[in-house]
Amino acid sequence: MHHTTFHNSYLENMIFFKQKFKVLLNRKKNGEEISSAMEEYLIDMADYVAHWWAEHIVKQDTIYANFIRKCQNKNGTFE
């Protein structure tokens, strides 16, 4: 999988979370009690972000950094 694919997937998920948040806010504006739904939303989003960043930095960024190092010549420029 191309490195930017991971970032695009992250962006798509963050857009989803934003849309879900707007839905919750609209429900609240309509007088609906959303405390438990908001708590679930915040936990889901926090879990996703924490897992994604930890996984991405530890695995994907390491792979990408190693690839960049292999592409550099001894002068630090790319071939």
Side-chain angles (χ1 to χ4, degrees):
M1 186 179 292
H2 198 272
H3 191 82
T4 55
T5 304
F6 292 103
H7 288 259
N8 291 340
S9 175
Y10 177 80
L11 180 59
E12 288 171 10
N13 280 299
M14 294 312 295
I15 290 168
F16 168 77
F17 279 116
K18 179 181 176 182
Q19 292 167 339
K20 190 172 180 181
F21 185 71
K22 286 182 177 182
V23 168
L24 287 171
L25 287 181
N26 284 333
R27 286 173 51 191
K28 182 169 176 58
K29 285 179 186 176
N30 292 331
E32 193 175 332
E33 172 56 44
I34 63 163
S35 295
S36 61
M38 184 62 80
E39 182 179 348
E40 182 180 332
Y41 163 81
L42 291 171
I43 290 170
D44 287 348
M45 185 178 68
D47 286 347
Y48 172 76
V49 170
H51 179 264
W52 191 90
W53 279 99
E55 180 79 11
H56 185 79
I57 290 168
V58 170
K59 288 187 178 178
Q60 299 307 319
D61 282 349
T62 301
I63 291 168
Y64 193 63
N66 289 336
F67 171 77
I68 295 295
R69 281 188 208 102
K70 287 179 185 177
C71 292
Q72 288 179 323
N73 63 26
K74 295 181 187 214
N75 297 328
T77 59
F78 295 99
E79 298 176 347

